[in-house]
Amino acid sequence: MQHFPVFLDLAQAHVVIGGGGEMALAKLRLLLKTEAKITVCAPDILPEIRALCPQVTLVQRPVLACDLGNARLVYATTGNMGEDARIARLGRAAGALVNIVDNLQESDFITPAIVDRDPVVVAIGTEGAAPVLARKIKAQLEDSLPPSLGVLARIGKSFRKMAEALPQGPRRRAFWAEYYDAKGPRALHAHGEGGVARALDELLARHLCAPVAQGHVDFVSAGPGDPELMTLKARKLLDRADVVIHDRLVTPEILELARREAVIISVGKEGFGPSTAQDAIHALMLTHARRGAHVVRLKGGDASVFGRLDEETAALDGAGIPWQVVPGVTAASSAAASIGQSLTSRGRNHALRLVTAHDMHGFADQDWQGLAAQGAVTALYMGKRAARFVQGRLLMHGAAADMPVTLVENASRAGQRVVGATLATLPQSAARLDGPAVILLGLAPRQGQQALSLQEVAQ
Ligand code: SAH
């Protein structure tokens, strides 16, 4: 992000526009929504701009240094490179931020496209990369934000002090959510602005009497990494959470979706890291839920697959704290999708095994005979370090050395790699990977599907 979005207070601030043509008019339309004191300097000024006098001060000559006293913003809109550069120099010398229209490189700031539901204002910027896209997003937002939003926000703003009678946190948020989602729009529709003020009074009285909400924990599956592979429910809960406790495997793009005010806590554990952290995770969930918080325990892939879910739900049951589980896409599903293969197939395998290479005692024991059988398909989690052990056990139980094996690293994330191998080359292939990887035993990438060979992954 090169340009940092901020909302600048222009009440009584001085803004100078150099140029009196169409470009100046376009900027004026936006600036007139503020309470800035605006001066337009140009030898030629469009009649539409003249008509704005006395709201706008007009100076019928080029910008001079004496026009820029206290200027906060200066727009150079003449379209003449030399003249715009001169205005920019004068503006900077006066300590103002300068925008040269259609010249991103030479400007200190850019003016975003806006959707105006004052006091709610949405600004859309693409760093100059895609004005068409900005317009499209603007059109979508114009459709989805009802015009009444501005009125509701204005009345809501004047009620903020009163609402402080509710403690900050979930209770106050619940009050505002009910106002914006239900009570406010209904009252405005039925009784106009006066009705909204009455509705706010009633709503506050009700929320003040309401018993303190009990905290709860949602075990939310984040999927393998691509935010688009999350469920709608997961997105919704993440957007409401007060506290998000997440694993190492959850990607930054997904954490971005959490509510801005949410407390985000990483409890990342490396595969072979200390296991005592589990108690600390339980303690964290209990502490926050007991304070009434909505806790999202965010787990990579599907929360119920090798995620120690039972231990965590047992801890909550012990403390009488309610919880629910939101399922999601597990790494094996994402890996199979990436090679265009089905995890089960009529006539090939009637069973699918999800297997961890490790248990509490080290390398996990399995039904090796079953895994080694012709046509068997197994998704091996946490299998990189155990690759040689698994290979040995499978060969010992009669698996063919040329059994197809596919390793999928960083499934669905940036840096996804698919390595086509066989049981014979499994350990060498696994040794080359350093991200999280799922090993599909018994599956080869579909014909024509891109996959790296052992040699290629070595490079
Ligand atoms: N609950 C998770 C699994 C947690 S165990 C799920 O359902 O996917 C951690 C292991 O999952 C990793 O060691 C790796 O084997 C696998 N894994 C998780 N995310 C992955 C990804 N994006 N790509 C490949 N493997 C992944």
Side-chain angles (χ1 to χ4, degrees):
M1 195 193 292
Q2 190 188 340
H3 291 86
F4 182 67
V6 291
F7 286 83
L8 196 65
D9 181 0
L10 285 185
Q12 303 313 313
H14 190 198
V15 177
V16 177
I17 300 180
E22 290 295 342
M23 298 287 199
L25 185 60
K27 295 297 167 206
L28 270 171
R29 286 203 186 100
L30 282 177
L31 286 164
L32 282 170
K33 291 173 183 283
T34 72
E35 293 164 36
K37 290 193 290 187
I38 308 169
T39 304
V40 174
C41 302
D44 299 313
I45 299 179
L46 281 181
E48 291 94 320
I49 298 181
R50 285 182 188 289
L52 297 170
C53 183
Q55 221 181 333
V56 175
T57 306
L58 304 178
V59 179
Q60 200 157 1
R61 55 158 171 70
V63 180
L64 298 177
C66 60
D67 299 316
L68 298 172
N70 292 331
R72 177 76 62 79
L73 300 181
V74 170
Y75 283 91
T77 72
T78 68
N80 172 319
M81 262 175 64
E83 175 60 359
D84 280 348
R86 188 187 69 84
I87 296 171
R89 263 197 312 280
L90 288 178
R92 290 201 179 101
L97 290 171
V98 173
N99 174 272
I100 302 179
V101 171
D102 288 341
N103 187 344
L104 190 71
Q105 294 310 320
E106 306 293 326
S107 293
D108 301 328
F109 70 96
I110 48 182
T111 318
I114 65 168
V115 178
D116 181 9
R117 299 286 185 275
D118 186 44
V120 177
V121 178
V122 184
I124 305 149
T126 61
E127 305 263 15
V132 177
L133 185 60
R135 271 197 293 281
K136 192 170 152 210
I137 296 170
K138 177 174 153 73
Q140 282 169 353
L141 288 172
E142 291 282 4
D143 289 345
S144 65
L145 297 179
S148 61
L149 189 68
V151 179
L152 291 178
R154 186 162 41 73
I155 300 173
K157 190 176 172 191
S158 65
F159 203 77
R160 283 180 75 89
K161 270 264 155 296
M162 301 283 283
E164 282 170 16
L166 287 165
Q168 198 175 10
R171 284 185 71 193
R172 204 185 293 168
R173 261 200 312 282
F175 164 78
W176 285 119
E178 192 175 345
Y179 167 63
Y180 282 112
D181 294 346
K183 282 280 176 300
R186 242 180 269 148
L188 186 65
H189 183 69
H191 308 291
E193 294 197 19
V196 177
R198 274 197 307 283
L200 271 170
D201 282 333
E202 283 165 23
L203 192 63
L204 182 61
R206 182 151 60 71
H207 276 254
L208 281 170
C209 298
V212 178
Q214 196 191 13
H216 63 282
V217 179
D218 293 324
F219 290 91
V220 174
S221 303
D226 177 355
E228 294 206 324
L229 291 179
M230 292 174 79
T231 61
L232 290 175
K233 197 165 192 174
R235 294 281 301 253
K236 202 161 70 187
L237 292 174
L238 202 52
D239 190 44
R240 292 188 187 155
D242 299 308
V243 179
V244 177
I245 303 176
H246 70 91
D247 290 341
R248 184 178 53 93
L249 279 176
V250 175
T251 54
E253 295 90 314
I254 287 177
L255 291 175
E256 278 281 313
L257 301 171
R259 209 161 57 81
R260 179 95 74 107
E261 297 80 14
V263 177
I264 304 210
I265 305 169
S266 166
V267 291
K269 273 189 292 181
E270 293 290 332
F272 288 80
S275 55
T276 48
Q278 197 60 42
D279 284 340
I281 296 172
H282 298 169
L284 266 175
M285 290 192 299
L286 294 183
T287 308
H288 287 284
R290 279 185 180 130
R291 285 187 198 145
H294 171 192
V295 179
V296 161
R297 174 74 178 100
L298 192 59
K299 290 172 174 282
D302 180 277
S304 71
V305 176
F306 306 128
R308 305 185 73 167
L309 180 67
D310 281 348
E311 294 165 56
E312 297 185 14
T313 54
L316 296 176
D317 281 341
I321 290 168
W323 52 267
Q324 65 164 335
V325 181
V326 178
V329 175
T330 189
S333 302
S334 183
S338 75
I339 58 168
Q341 286 291 18
S342 177
L343 285 168
T344 62
S345 184
R346 270 158 59 132
R348 183 191 65 205
N349 63 320
H350 301 131
L352 163 70
R353 290 176 176 83
L354 304 185
V355 161
T356 172
H358 297 274
D359 62 18
M360 287 184 313
H361 313 292
F363 292 157
D365 214 5
Q366 310 289 353
D367 161 24
W368 297 113
Q369 197 115 26
L371 268 66
Q374 176 72 23
V377 173
T378 303
L380 182 65
Y381 288 68
M382 295 172 271
K384 282 184 301 185
R385 292 192 201 204
R388 189 167 293 283
F389 167 78
V390 170
Q391 180 200 47
R393 284 289 186 278
L394 288 178
L395 290 173
M396 213 155 75
H397 287 82
D402 64 356
M403 171 194 226
V405 172
T406 308
L407 301 90
V408 183
E409 181 188 38
N410 287 317
S412 89
R413 306 173 182 207
Q416 170 177 299
R417 287 201 294 181
V418 174
V419 183
T422 61
L423 190 54
T425 60
L426 167 60
Q428 296 91 309
S429 305
R432 309 256 183 246
L433 305 179
D434 40 36
V438 88
I439 299 172
L440 299 172
L441 301 169
L443 281 185
R446 200 181 169 78
Q447 285 274 308
Q449 202 85 22
Q450 284 276 315
L452 299 170
S453 63
L454 177 57
Q455 288 75 24
E456 283 165 317
V457 82
Q459 283 164 10

